Structure formats: C-alpha cells, structure tokens
Amino acid sequence: MSGLAEPLSSASLEHPGKTSLYSSGNVSGRSSTYGQAEEATIYTETRMLQDQTGRLLYIGDSSTLSILQLIRIIVESTAGPILGSDFVHDPKRHRIMENIIDFPEHTKLPCFLPDRETVHVLVESYFTNTRGLIEVFDKSSFCESIEIIYADPLSASRYSTCHLFLVLALGMLLSAPQPGSREDEIIKKLYDAKQDMAELFYRSAKSMCDPEYGFEDADFWSIQALCLMAVYMLTVSKRNTAYAYLGMAVRSAYALGLHREETMHPLIYPESTQREVRRNLWKTLFILDRFLAASLGRPVAIVEEDCSCKLTTNDDIADLSTVGGNGSESLHFGCLDACVKSCRVIGVTLRVFSKRKISTSVVQDIANMAKYWRRPSLANLTPQQSREGPTSPEQGIAALHANLLSLHSLILLTRQIFIMHNWKLDQQRSGKANPPLNRESHMAKFSEACVVASYQTIQLIQHAREDGYLPQRNPFFIYFLFAASLIVLMNQFTSLYYADTYNKTITDAISTMKYCAEIDSQAERVLEIMENFAQVFSHVTGEWQLSSEFPESRGPSRLKNRQHFTPASCAFTILFAATEGSQCLYHHPFNHCPGSGDERNVYSIIDDSTYGTFTRPTPWSFHSFAP
C-alpha cells in the first residue's frame, strides 16, 4: 500500500532457534499436590505495528495479536517455514487493522433526523445489543427525551440530540434483525443508502455538540457521549481512537466523582434513577477500560485502589441469586455485575503481565480470588435448556456478554501457561528438553482449562447465531471468537489435547467469522488469519500421517465431546480442580489417547464444600431463560 513505511524487520522478532521464548524454573516456597509451581518469563519483545497511515502503534503482551506472534514462532519451529508460509510469513503480520472511513467532504451536518419508525427500530437495536455490557442511559428517560426532540427539534437540547445520533449510529451497526421482518427492511434500506448512514449519524452527533472540544469543562452528558464514541470506534475497527476516547471519558468521570461512593449520596442526587445511571456508567467505563487494556496490551485508565464506588451490589461478589427472577431489568443488571467481576479478574491478570512473569502459583492465586466463578447463583444466568431459545434477544445478548467475558477472563489468565506448555511440548518432541510434563501438573490443568474455555466460547457464539440474534458487527464477539479460535487451532496443531468436536467447532468459528466479515473489516482480517492457520494444520497433518518420524505427535490426551457440559462451569471446574485439595472425585472428560495403552478415565479433584452436592455442574442451555 502506497504511503506506508517499510515494515519492521522480522529480525527484530526473537527466534526460538536462537533464544528460548521462556525461562522455566521453580518458585521457591510454592508447592502443590503435583510438586512445585512452574514459572514462565512472559515473552517481552515489543510489538510496534503499523496502521493504514504508516504510524507505529504499541501492542502489549496481553493482546491476542502478541499471542498470535508467539504462535507463529512455535508453528515455524514445528512445521518449518515452507508449510507454514502463508500463516507464519503473512505479509500483513506487521500491521494492525485501524480502519480509514471514506466520507464525502462538504456533507451538510447535522443530517435530518430519520422518521419515527426508523428511530424506534435503531433505538431498540441499540438497547437490545448492548444489554448487560454497555449501560449508559436509563431507557425510559432516554425515550422521553426522544419525544421532546421530535415535538420541537429546534428547541431541543443539543446534548440530547447528540446522544440520540450516537445511539442511532450504534443501533444500526449492532443490529441483528430477523430476516424478512420490517426491521430487516429498514436496516437494509439504511445500508443501501449512497452515504454511510452510521458514519453520518456519528458525525451529526459531533456537529451538534462535540465532547472533545468541551473536554476542559466536561459534564455528565459528555462522559456519556465519549463512552458511546469509544464503543462506536471499536465497532468500526478504530481501536486506538477508542482507547483515546475512553481515556478522556475516565478522566472526566474522575473530575465528577463517579469513582467515589460518597458522591452517590441521596442528599447530592435525590433521585434513585440518577444515582443508578451514574453508577452504571462507571461500571461501563470500567468494563471498557479492562477490555481495551487487555485487547491492546496497554495500561488501564482506572486504578481500583483509587476508587470507592461499589462496582457491584455486594462489593465482595456479585449477588446473582435473583437474576432472571424479577424481570428483564434484574437480568440485565445481574449480567452487568457479572461482567464487572470478570473485568476485575482481567485487571489483576494484567498486573501479572506488567511484571513480565507468570507462574502456576500466580494463576492459582488469581483463580482463588475469583470466587464468583464457583457460585451456584451464576447458573441462574442460563437456566435449563429450551429449544425455543431465549425468551427475548435482549436476554440472550445480556447473558452472552456475561458468559463470554467470564470465559475470556479465564482464557487470558491461562493463555500464557498454555503457550508455555506448547513450547515445552515442541522442545520435548525435538529432543531438546526434559521428559514430558506430568499430565496431572498445574501447567497441564491450566492448559486444559484454556482449551475447554475456548471451545465453549465458540459454542456459545454459534448457538446465538443459530437462534438469530448474533449481530454481524459486534467488536466484543469478534474479538472473543478470534482469541478462542487461535487456542483451538493451536491445540489441534500441537496435539496437546485431542477433541472429537474439533472439525465442527472450527468450521462453526470460520463460518461465523465469514458471516461477520461480510460487513466488518476487522472480521475480514482475522478470518484470513484463521483460514491460513487452519490450512497449516491440514498440511502438517497430511505430512505427519505419511511419516513415522513423529509417532508421538497425536498427543497425550483426548478431549471427549463436551456438548453435554455446562458452558461456564466445565472449564472453571478444571481450573479449580488444579488449585484445590479435595476428597471428592468428579468424572473428568479428558481421556488418554486411544491406542496409548491406558484407557482409564481421568478424574478432577473438586471440593464438595465449594460446590455442594446439589450444585454439581449440570446441563443448561448456552442461551435460554426461564419465562
């Protein structure tokens, strides 16, 4: 592409043949059922990736793009540069997708407001597809402001109109209308317009009242607007801009005291709705902050030690025991609390990355902190399976946000251990390392939990698509799907664990990403990476099937079909089995590889005092809710 600077030299990337990715050792003073803790130095080669303008942007260690580079190094070490060429030597590997939006100059702004029917469809789409994750407005108050705007547009508040245009832009991008419905007809009409209508709505919002220009005297409305602008930028694949907008929103929120519990006093804000909106906005900023920090590998903007605002109803653990029992609002706010708790775990995990080392004992400590993972009440987010699917798309999306973020927090926590495990496996097979790891070690258990969580992530998203409420353009779902797919592909490539459902799972993942790539440039890019990686596995599998040089390449373990297990408990069951002593044996779905001479079932150790006899993981739907 013309105008781009020369890509960074691949010589700047540490090569496994010259320098080890990890330094392994034991942590003194740490022992377990399986021996001392295993430690890995996190790969710290700084990644500076080019955007479309040639600007170099920093991507840190926790980012999936950094993990992707580690995977490429292991694949090249294992398969060689020829078989893995399209994946390993991808010409775009030194670049990051930061979309450039073409918009006609001299476009008259703001544009006219759409007709009432279109506004209703887009507003409903926004609230449906942000439930449980982005809670910026009180819906009833927002709808009242729409009535005021349409009653007298010329005298309506500029701030309210700015918010409305931003909601219209996001409602259009995040929409998932039922095919053939009136909503589908309206959305298609917007996409078929000569101009990019979502961008037109966005620019109209900025023309009405740009929160950037009033940053020095920002008020509550501008924090709401900046938050929506950050989500919009995420959705149109401009993550760096989203990171900047979110930072502005957080700084303004600090100035207004949203981070302090004492500012929520009824004497200051007498109306409970007003206090609730302020608290939910702070939760939303916290979730976005942790998501962007993890996905870009950059520092967080919100430091919990500086905040006294209660992020959940019970600041020790989200009380989800009533979720789904008091109507849809209870479900939505329960899911929001669950997302907040997952993001608190992500925040602690990011601190580990900043220290450049991770060990199984550290993972164990963080897992022990995440008590909400083990709470039986979390199951109320997804009651018993119903073939009719969720009672409403709003409920399905809210629970999907909560479950996917929970699973991704586990993946982020265990992913470096999983990569280290694969690297050691590669070294063992090449005869450069010590005898194989004990498959009951902490490292093996954490790797297993990472793989299982990745499979479950893809299954959750696939079920949402089958039920017809998965948006084509949701940056959170696309990121979670990509991160999980890389783990599934890497696991299959190294044969760390064998999964009966691999073919269906990766086919579903690629199919869903193709569905998203029809209108999303970020999905189009990661789809290319996933397909290239899948082709490498196919080529290598063909080579190894013809060769007897790698008789151990089929892997040490077998992952049975997990569809009959719960989506959010099975991976966590494995995680806690690795971190707790116990007396109760619970059947574990991993078996030794067929033909290995040992067909015994493997068992996980679960503490009955943690789960109780009646809270043993039982089948529930990925997406269904009680009426």
Side-chain angles (χ1 to χ4, degrees), residues 174-402:
L174 299 174
S175 61
Q178 290 295 320
S181 64
R182 177 59 180 162
E183 291 81 3
D184 187 38
E185 182 181 337
I186 291 173
I187 296 297
K188 284 182 177 178
K189 184 178 179 180
L190 291 171
Y191 273 106
D192 291 340
K194 293 181 180 180
Q195 285 183 308
D196 183 339
M197 292 302 297
E199 184 69 14
L200 181 61
F201 291 147
Y202 172 77
R203 297 197 182 208
S204 294
K206 294 189 69 175
S207 72
M208 289 298 299
C209 201
D210 192 342
E212 288 183 77
Y213 298 142
F215 182 58
E216 59 186 23
D217 55 351
D219 204 349
F220 189 74
W221 76 269
S222 64
I223 302 174
Q224 292 172 304
L226 285 167
C227 183
L228 294 179
M229 289 164 65
V231 177
Y232 178 84
M233 287 299 165
L234 263 177
T235 309
V236 297
S237 305
K238 300 185 74 170
R239 289 166 289 182
N240 197 62
T241 308
Y243 184 76
Y245 279 148
L246 182 71
M248 294 172 65
V250 170
R251 293 298 179 188
S252 297
Y254 277 140
L256 297 187
L258 266 66
H259 64 302
R260 305 299 300 181
E261 184 63 29
E262 51 267 31
T263 66
M264 305 291 182
H265 198 279
L267 291 177
I268 303 176
Y269 298 102
E271 295 182 13
S272 60
T273 301
Q274 198 173 12
R275 296 195 301 272
E276 184 179 270
V277 170
R278 287 172 62 87
R279 194 183 302 278
N280 287 340
L281 179 58
W282 181 249
K283 292 178 182 181
T284 298
L285 292 174
F286 181 79
I287 291 169
L288 289 174
D289 178 47
R290 293 308 190 256
F291 175 80
L292 280 167
S295 60
L296 292 174
R298 297 178 187 173
V300 298
I302 297 175
V303 180
E304 285 195 70
E305 288 75 7
D306 298 333
C307 307
S308 64
C309 179
K310 290 184 178 179
L311 288 169
T312 57
T313 305
N314 179 337
D315 210 31
D316 178 54
I317 182 171
D319 183 9
L320 304 179
S321 59
T322 60
V323 171
N326 298 320
S328 61
E329 288 304 310
S330 175
L331 174 72
H332 300 154
F333 294 137
C335 290
L336 182 67
D337 280 356
C339 289
V340 167
K341 298 303 290 186
S342 295
C343 285
R344 296 184 82 168
V345 176
I346 289 174
V348 177
T349 304
L350 292 177
R351 293 182 207 167
V352 175
F353 280 92
S354 68
K355 295 178 180 179
R356 304 296 188 180
K357 282 192 175 183
I358 189 168
S359 68
T360 53
S361 61
V362 171
V363 174
Q364 175 177 331
D365 290 340
I366 297 175
N368 290 337
M369 181 203 73
K371 296 178 182 178
Y372 79 102
W373 275 342
R374 319 185 238 188
R375 285 294 291 261
S377 54
L378 186 61
N380 289 323
L381 287 174
T382 49
Q384 293 296 323
Q385 187 168 2
S386 168
R387 292 188 178 183
E388 290 76 23
T391 56
S392 75
E394 271 191 332
Q395 292 183 348
I397 288 291
L400 190 60
H401 283 143

Side-chain angles (χ1 to χ4, degrees), residues 98-111:
E98 285 290 306
N99 201 15
I100 297 177
I101 299 174
D102 294 325
F103 193 77
E105 295 182 5
H106 311 300
T107 301
K108 186 178 179 180
L109 296 173
C111 66

Side-chain angles (χ1 to χ4, degrees), residues 124-141:
E124 287 299 317
S125 171
Y126 165 80
F127 280 103
T128 294
N129 291 290
T130 58
R131 279 301 191 188
L133 188 72
I134 309 296
E135 298 286 350
V136 175
F137 305 111
D138 173 68
K139 186 176 179 180
S140 60
S141 300

